Amino acid sequence: EPEVTQTPSHQVTQMGQEVILRCVPISNHLYFYWYRQILGQKVEFLVSFYNNEISEKSEIFDDQFSVERPDGSNFTLKIRSTKLEDSAMYFCASSTQGRVNYGYTFGSGTRLTVV
Amino acid sequence: DQQVKQNSPSLSVQEGRISILNCDYTNSMFDYFLWYKKYPAEGPTFLISISSIKDKNEDGRFTVFLNKSAKHLSLHIVPSQPGDSAVYFCAASAGDQAGTALIFGKGTTLSVSS
Protein backbone atom coordinates (compact mmCIF):
# COMPACT_ATOMS: atom_id res chain seq x y z
CA GLU A 1 0.00 0.00 0.00
CA PRO A 2 1.38 3.45 -0.88
CA GLU A 3 2.65 5.43 2.04
CA VAL A 4 3.91 8.88 3.00
CA THR A 5 7.58 8.75 3.92
CA GLN A 6 9.19 11.17 6.37
CA THR A 7 12.86 11.66 7.12
CA PRO A 8 14.54 11.76 9.51
CA SER A 9 12.52 9.89 12.09
CA HIS A 10 14.20 11.82 14.88
CA GLN A 11 16.14 15.09 14.72
CA VAL A 12 17.87 16.91 17.53
CA THR A 13 18.82 20.52 16.94
CA GLN A 14 20.10 23.41 18.97
CA MET A 15 17.87 26.35 19.71
CA GLY A 16 18.23 29.02 17.06
CA GLN A 17 19.31 26.61 14.34
CA GLU A 18 17.45 26.07 11.10
CA VAL A 19 15.92 22.67 10.51
CA ILE A 20 14.33 21.10 7.43
CA LEU A 21 11.91 18.22 7.76
CA ARG A 22 11.40 16.14 4.65
CA CYS A 23 8.43 14.26 3.32
CA VAL A 24 7.75 12.22 0.22
CA PRO A 25 3.97 12.21 -0.34
CA ILE A 26 2.14 9.51 -2.23
CA SER A 27 2.99 9.97 -5.90
CA ASN A 28 -0.45 10.74 -7.34
CA HIS A 29 -1.56 12.94 -4.45
CA LEU A 30 -2.07 16.63 -5.08
CA TYR A 31 -2.64 18.11 -1.64
CA PHE A 32 -0.02 18.19 1.08
CA TYR A 33 -0.16 19.04 4.75
CA TRP A 34 1.94 19.46 7.85
CA TYR A 35 0.60 18.80 11.33
CA ARG A 36 2.40 18.63 14.64
CA GLN A 37 1.76 17.05 18.03
CA ILE A 38 3.48 18.38 21.11
CA LEU A 39 3.93 15.60 23.65
CA GLY A 40 0.71 14.93 25.51
CA GLN A 41 -1.29 17.38 23.44
CA LYS A 42 -3.55 17.19 20.41
CA VAL A 43 -2.53 16.98 16.81
CA GLU A 44 -2.49 20.55 15.41
CA PHE A 45 -2.81 21.75 11.83
CA LEU A 46 0.07 23.83 10.51
CA VAL A 47 -0.36 24.29 6.77
CA SER A 48 -1.87 22.88 3.60
CA PHE A 49 -0.31 23.15 0.15
CA TYR A 50 -1.71 22.72 -3.34
CA ASN A 51 -0.49 23.66 -6.81
CA ASN A 52 2.70 25.11 -5.37
CA GLU A 53 0.86 27.47 -3.08
CA ILE A 54 -0.22 27.53 0.53
CA SER A 55 -3.96 26.87 0.68
CA GLU A 56 -4.47 27.45 4.36
CA LYS A 57 -2.27 27.99 7.40
CA SER A 58 -2.83 28.17 11.13
CA GLU A 59 -1.71 30.79 13.63
CA ILE A 60 1.15 28.49 14.57
CA PHE A 61 2.59 28.77 11.06
CA ASP A 62 4.28 32.13 11.47
CA ASP A 63 7.21 33.71 9.61
CA GLN A 64 9.60 31.17 11.14
CA PHE A 65 7.97 28.41 9.11
CA SER A 66 8.00 27.82 5.38
CA VAL A 67 7.08 24.98 3.07
CA GLU A 68 8.39 24.04 -0.32
CA ARG A 69 7.95 21.42 -2.97
CA PRO A 70 11.44 21.67 -4.50
CA ASP A 71 10.91 18.87 -7.03
CA GLY A 72 8.19 16.48 -8.12
CA SER A 73 8.46 14.23 -5.12
CA ASN A 74 9.58 16.02 -1.96
CA PHE A 75 7.64 18.31 0.33
CA THR A 76 9.60 20.10 3.03
CA LEU A 77 8.92 22.08 6.18
CA LYS A 78 11.59 24.55 7.22
CA ILE A 79 11.84 26.16 10.63
CA ARG A 80 14.26 29.07 10.38
CA SER A 81 15.27 29.62 13.98
CA THR A 82 14.07 26.85 16.23
CA LYS A 83 12.72 27.48 19.72
CA LEU A 84 12.38 25.04 22.59
CA GLU A 85 8.60 25.07 22.12
CA ASP A 86 9.01 23.78 18.55
CA SER A 87 9.86 20.38 20.03
CA ALA A 88 7.12 18.08 18.79
CA MET A 89 6.27 15.23 16.47
CA TYR A 90 5.74 16.64 12.98
CA PHE A 91 3.45 14.74 10.64
CA CYS A 92 3.28 15.16 6.91
CA ALA A 93 0.09 14.10 5.13
CA SER A 94 -1.17 14.00 1.58
CA SER A 95 -4.44 13.42 -0.20
CA THR A 96 -5.49 12.72 -3.75
CA GLN A 97 -8.45 14.99 -3.50
CA GLY A 98 -9.25 18.00 -1.44
CA ARG A 99 -12.32 16.41 0.12
CA VAL A 100 -11.65 15.87 3.79
CA ASN A 101 -14.19 13.09 4.13
CA TYR A 102 -11.94 10.76 2.17
CA GLY A 103 -9.27 11.19 4.79
CA TYR A 104 -5.64 12.11 4.48
CA THR A 105 -2.71 9.68 4.54
CA PHE A 106 -0.23 10.54 7.25
CA GLY A 107 3.44 9.67 7.50
CA SER A 108 4.99 8.17 10.62
CA GLY A 109 6.31 11.54 11.72
CA THR A 110 9.60 13.22 12.56
CA ARG A 111 10.28 13.78 16.24
CA LEU A 112 12.00 17.15 16.53
CA THR A 113 13.83 17.86 19.77
CA VAL A 114 15.16 21.37 20.29
CA VAL A 115 17.81 21.64 23.02
CA ASP B 1 -9.60 26.75 22.96
CA GLN B 2 -10.73 23.19 22.52
CA GLN B 3 -13.10 23.10 19.61
CA VAL B 4 -13.03 19.30 19.57
CA LYS B 5 -13.10 17.52 22.90
CA GLN B 6 -12.54 13.91 23.80
CA ASN B 7 -13.21 13.89 27.50
CA SER B 8 -12.18 10.30 28.17
CA PRO B 9 -8.41 9.91 27.95
CA SER B 10 -8.70 6.12 28.12
CA LEU B 11 -11.14 3.24 27.71
CA SER B 12 -10.70 -0.45 28.52
CA VAL B 13 -12.89 -3.09 26.90
CA GLN B 14 -12.90 -6.85 26.71
CA GLU B 15 -12.46 -8.60 23.39
CA GLY B 16 -15.78 -9.20 21.67
CA ARG B 17 -17.60 -6.39 23.48
CA ILE B 18 -18.56 -2.99 22.11
CA SER B 19 -16.20 -0.02 22.35
CA ILE B 20 -17.83 3.40 22.37
CA LEU B 21 -15.60 6.42 21.93
CA ASN B 22 -17.13 9.84 22.37
CA CYS B 23 -16.39 13.27 20.98
CA ASP B 24 -17.96 16.70 21.47
CA TYR B 25 -17.44 19.84 19.44
CA THR B 26 -18.24 23.49 19.92
CA ASN B 27 -17.91 25.05 16.48
CA SER B 28 -21.24 25.12 14.63
CA MET B 29 -19.38 25.61 11.35
CA PHE B 30 -17.97 22.09 11.43
CA ASP B 31 -19.70 19.94 8.86
CA TYR B 32 -17.38 16.98 8.38
CA PHE B 33 -16.18 14.67 11.10
CA LEU B 34 -13.56 11.98 10.97
CA TRP B 35 -12.04 9.33 13.19
CA TYR B 36 -8.38 8.41 13.02
CA LYS B 37 -6.53 5.60 14.75
CA LYS B 38 -2.90 5.89 15.80
CA TYR B 39 -0.47 3.19 16.86
CA PRO B 40 2.80 4.12 18.63
CA ALA B 41 5.55 5.28 16.26
CA GLU B 42 3.08 5.59 13.38
CA GLY B 43 1.05 8.41 11.92
CA PRO B 44 -2.73 8.66 12.31
CA THR B 45 -4.67 6.32 10.01
CA PHE B 46 -8.05 7.35 8.64
CA LEU B 47 -10.90 5.14 9.82
CA ILE B 48 -14.28 6.60 8.94
CA SER B 49 -15.98 9.92 8.34
CA ILE B 50 -19.44 11.41 8.43
CA SER B 51 -20.99 14.47 6.90
CA SER B 52 -23.26 16.68 8.97
CA ILE B 53 -26.19 15.85 6.69
CA LYS B 54 -26.11 12.29 7.98
CA ASP B 55 -26.55 10.84 11.44
CA LYS B 56 -24.90 7.49 10.89
CA ASN B 57 -22.18 5.97 8.76
CA GLU B 58 -21.08 2.36 8.93
CA ASP B 59 -18.01 0.56 7.65
CA GLY B 60 -17.60 -3.01 8.76
CA ARG B 61 -17.09 -3.14 12.52
CA PHE B 62 -16.96 0.65 12.75
CA THR B 63 -20.01 2.90 12.99
CA VAL B 64 -20.00 6.64 13.60
CA PHE B 65 -23.08 8.37 14.97
CA LEU B 66 -23.61 12.11 14.79
CA ASN B 67 -26.02 14.09 16.96
CA LYS B 68 -25.80 17.54 15.45
CA SER B 69 -28.16 19.20 17.91
CA ALA B 70 -26.03 17.99 20.81
CA LYS B 71 -22.77 18.61 18.91
CA HIS B 72 -21.75 15.08 19.76
CA LEU B 73 -20.43 12.15 17.84
CA SER B 74 -19.41 8.67 18.80
CA LEU B 75 -17.49 5.78 17.27
CA HIS B 76 -18.74 2.28 17.94
CA ILE B 77 -16.49 -0.71 17.38
CA VAL B 78 -18.28 -4.05 17.38
CA PRO B 79 -16.90 -6.54 18.15
CA SER B 80 -13.74 -5.12 19.66
CA GLN B 81 -10.49 -6.94 18.94
CA PRO B 82 -7.07 -6.72 20.64
CA GLY B 83 -5.66 -5.22 17.43
CA ASP B 84 -8.00 -2.27 17.92
CA SER B 85 -5.89 -1.14 20.88
CA ALA B 86 -4.63 2.29 19.85
CA VAL B 87 -5.22 6.00 20.33
CA TYR B 88 -8.38 7.19 18.58
CA PHE B 89 -8.63 10.80 17.46
CA CYS B 90 -11.80 12.60 16.58
CA ALA B 91 -11.34 15.37 13.99
CA ALA B 92 -13.57 17.96 12.41
CA SER B 93 -13.48 20.41 9.55
CA ALA B 94 -15.54 23.34 8.36
CA GLY B 95 -16.13 22.43 4.75
CA ASP B 96 -14.51 19.89 2.47
CA GLN B 97 -12.59 22.23 0.21
CA ALA B 98 -9.05 21.55 -0.87
CA GLY B 99 -6.57 21.97 1.91
CA THR B 100 -9.12 22.30 4.67
CA ALA B 101 -7.61 22.05 8.14
CA LEU B 102 -8.62 19.18 10.37
CA ILE B 103 -9.14 20.13 14.00
CA PHE B 104 -8.27 17.21 16.25
CA GLY B 105 -9.27 16.23 19.75
CA LYS B 106 -6.67 15.05 22.27
CA GLY B 107 -7.43 11.40 21.67
CA THR B 108 -8.72 8.44 23.63
CA THR B 109 -6.50 5.44 24.29
CA LEU B 110 -8.46 2.23 23.75
CA SER B 111 -7.21 -0.98 25.33
CA VAL B 112 -8.90 -4.21 24.28
CA SER B 113 -8.02 -7.20 26.43
CA SER B 114 -8.35 -10.81 25.33
Side-chain angles (χ1 to χ4, degrees):
Chain A
E1 187 170 329
E3 56 182 32
V4 174
T5 304
Q6 290 188 244
T7 55
S9 57
H10 189 189
Q11 177 143 6
V12 181
T13 189
Q14 286 203 324
M15 190 170 53
Q17 294 295 305
E18 175 183 286
V19 67
I20 297 176
L21 309 182
R22 303 181 191 280
C23 168
V24 179
I26 294 173
S27 60
N28 64 338
H29 284 190
L30 301 175
Y31 301 89
F32 314 111
Y33 314 85
W34 284 101
Y35 286 76
R36 78 174 185 188
Q37 185 180 25
I38 295 172
L39 188 64
Q41 299 189 24
K42 61 182 180 179
V43 176
E44 301 174 291
F45 170 75
L46 293 178
V47 67
S48 59
F49 191 85
Y50 169 71
N51 200 25
N52 285 321
E53 288 185 348
I54 290 175
S55 301
E56 187 176 340
K57 61 182 181 179
S58 71
E59 294 175 351
I60 303 168
F61 194 88
D62 61 22
D63 291 344
Q64 292 300 310
F65 291 87
S66 63
V67 289
E68 191 178 31
R69 188 154 163 81
D71 53 42
S73 59
N74 291 286
F75 180 52
T76 61
L77 173 70
K78 181 193 289 186
I79 309 174
R80 287 191 182 81
S81 178
T82 49
K83 309 184 189 85
L84 294 176
E85 54 264 37
D86 293 327
S87 295
M89 180 72 88
Y90 287 81
F91 293 105
C92 173
S94 67
S95 65
T96 183
Q97 303 179 56
R99 296 179 64 86
V100 300
N101 51 311
Y102 294 120
Y104 304 153
T105 303
F106 283 82
S108 297
T110 293
R111 179 167 298 286
L112 176 66
T113 303
V114 182
V115 296
Chain B
D1 174 27
Q2 284 194 69
Q3 298 186 66
V4 177
K5 301 178 191 177
Q6 294 177 257
N7 291 320
S8 297
S10 62
L11 174 68
S12 295
V13 171
Q14 282 196 320
E15 182 178 8
R17 308 295 288 266
I18 184 171
S19 295
I20 300 177
L21 299 124
N22 293 304
C23 178
D24 297 292
Y25 62 96
T26 58
N27 190 337
S28 300
M29 300 300 291
F30 288 149
D31 51 8
Y32 286 93
F33 304 91
L34 304 91
W35 285 93
Y36 280 81
K37 176 172 75 174
K38 183 181 180 305
Y39 294 117
E42 294 184 13
T45 302
F46 171 69
L47 269 178
I48 191 169
S49 66
I50 188 167
S51 159
S52 59
I53 62 173
K54 295 187 175 182
D55 55 15
K56 177 183 174 181
N57 189 25
E58 191 172 354
D59 183 2
R61 297 186 297 114
F62 301 92
T63 302
V64 55
F65 295 92
L66 175 63
N67 183 333
K68 202 174 169 186
S69 61
K71 293 190 175 70
H72 177 84
L73 63 153
S74 60
L75 175 68
H76 293 210
I77 306 173
V78 183
S80 302
Q81 299 173 355
D84 295 329
S85 298
V87 179
Y88 288 78
F89 291 100
C90 171
S93 73
D96 69 342
Q97 300 89 347
T100 302
L102 296 179
I103 308 301
F104 284 83
K106 287 190 173 183
T108 297
T109 301
L110 173 66
S111 299
V112 181
S113 56
S114 55

